[in-house]
């Protein structure tokens, strides 16, 4: 702070201090720098939060889009597998019933059978040879992997829809087991597959 000697009216000399302007004081610029840093930090935080929110929204949309794509495939393959199971179920039921109750038994691939176990086994041989078994298993395998991909892309918006898909998937698995591994009596097989078919039909409505 500069000092200046001034002579008063009484003839005495007085020492006057000359104040520096604020802009020449170190603490003034220190405060300005601190304010600037705080403002820059605040603006940077806001910008980061906006960027983060935009990234999260984009990721959520991408996840939902993946789910929607997988769900469409799931719907298509549910019908494919379901229809193939119904077709095979109907054939097994007719052979089982015919082998027991028809006087002449049933015919499979040109051969006559009166034993339902042998008739059904022969029919599975036909399906194995003509590719029906491979088609069913291939579609069922794709459906399983498709379901897993849906499961990993569920969002809050698709949770309710996925719950319905889960029921369809579990009912298809139950029906698949009954049809591909027929067991028990004709009455129990017929009752179990009818119930399974009805449940799946309701699911797919």
């Amino acid at each position: 702070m500069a000092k200046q000697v001034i002579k008063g009216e009484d003839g005495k000399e007085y020492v006057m201090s000359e104040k520096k302007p604020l802009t020449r004081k170190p603490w003034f610029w220190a405060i300005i720098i601190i304010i600037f840093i705080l403002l820059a930090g605040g603006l940077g935080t806001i910008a980061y939060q906006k960027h983060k929110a935009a990234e999260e929204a984009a990721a959520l949309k991408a996840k939902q889009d993946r789910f929607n794509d997988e769900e469409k495939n799931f719907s298509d393959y549910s019908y494919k597998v379901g229809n193939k199971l119904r077709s095979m179920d109907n054939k097994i039921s007719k052979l089982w019933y015919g082998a027991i109750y028809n006087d002449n038994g049933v015919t499979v691939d040109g051969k006559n059978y009166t034993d339902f176990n042998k008739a059904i086994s022969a029919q599975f041989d036909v399906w194995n040879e003509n590719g029906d078994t491979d088609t069913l298993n291939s579609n069922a395998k794709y459906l399983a992997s498709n379901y897993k991909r849906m499961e990993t892309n569920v969002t809050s918006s698709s949770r309710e829809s996925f719950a319905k898909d889960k029921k369809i998937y579990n009912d298809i698995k139950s029906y698949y087991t009954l049809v591909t591994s027929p067991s028990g009596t004709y009455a129990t097989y017929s009752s179990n597959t009818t119930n399974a078919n009805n449940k799946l039909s309701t699911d797919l409505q």
Side-chain angles (χ1 to χ4, degrees):
M1 185 177 292
K3 295 182 179 181
Q4 183 178 7
V5 178
I6 299 175
K7 192 171 185 179
E9 293 179 356
D10 57 1
K12 295 181 178 180
E13 292 184 347
Y14 297 91
V15 177
M16 302 292 293
S17 297
E18 182 182 351
K19 292 184 177 180
K20 292 181 180 179
L22 289 177
T23 54
R24 294 179 61 188
K25 295 184 176 182
W27 60 264
F28 172 81
W29 289 109
I31 291 174
I32 293 297
I33 291 171
I34 291 172
I35 291 173
F36 176 79
I37 291 172
L38 291 175
L39 285 173
L43 291 173
T45 300
I46 292 172
Y48 173 77
Q49 290 173 343
K50 286 183 177 180
H51 175 71
K52 191 71 174 175
E55 280 187 337
E56 290 174 353
L60 182 62
K61 183 181 183 304
K63 191 174 185 180
Q64 184 63 52
D65 288 344
R66 287 194 298 272
F67 178 87
N68 292 341
D69 290 341
E70 294 296 345
E71 187 174 46
K72 184 181 182 305
N73 290 333
F74 179 82
S75 178
D76 292 341
Y77 275 82
S78 293
Y79 278 101
K80 286 182 180 180
V81 174
N83 288 336
K84 178 59 73 175
L85 288 173
R86 288 189 191 96
S87 175
M88 295 174 76
D89 176 25
N90 288 336
K91 187 67 175 179
I92 292 170
S93 294
K94 288 178 180 179
L95 290 174
W96 203 327
Y97 180 90
I100 295 174
Y101 298 107
N102 291 347
D103 291 337
N104 297 324
V106 292
T107 301
V108 179
D109 196 26
K111 296 180 181 179
N112 186 260
Y113 298 90
T114 55
D115 183 317
F116 70 87
N117 283 311
K118 291 180 178 179
I120 292 171
S121 178
Q123 184 58 54
F124 271 97
D125 288 341
V126 171
W127 287 331
N128 290 337
E129 290 175 8
N130 68 15
D132 281 354
T133 301
D134 287 341
T135 298
L136 173 65
N137 291 337
S138 176
N139 287 342
K141 184 177 180 181
Y142 180 85
L143 187 69
S145 61
N146 182 214
Y147 176 81
K148 290 295 183 183
R149 290 192 296 272
M150 274 201 308
E151 191 174 36
T152 59
N153 286 288
V154 176
T155 66
S156 58
S157 300
S158 57
R159 193 168 291 125
E160 184 176 347
S161 180
F162 180 70
K164 296 177 182 178
D165 297 329
K166 184 176 182 179
K167 187 174 186 309
I168 292 172
Y169 181 65
N170 288 333
D171 287 344
I172 284 177
K173 286 201 301 181
S174 297
Y175 196 18
Y176 177 91
T177 300
L178 290 170
V179 173
T180 57
S181 301
S183 61
T185 65
Y186 169 75
T188 57
Y189 173 82
S190 180
S191 175
N192 290 337
T193 53
T194 296
N195 290 336
N197 182 26
N198 288 341
K199 286 174 66 176
L200 183 57
S201 296
T202 300
D203 294 341
L204 295 175
Q205 285 180 351

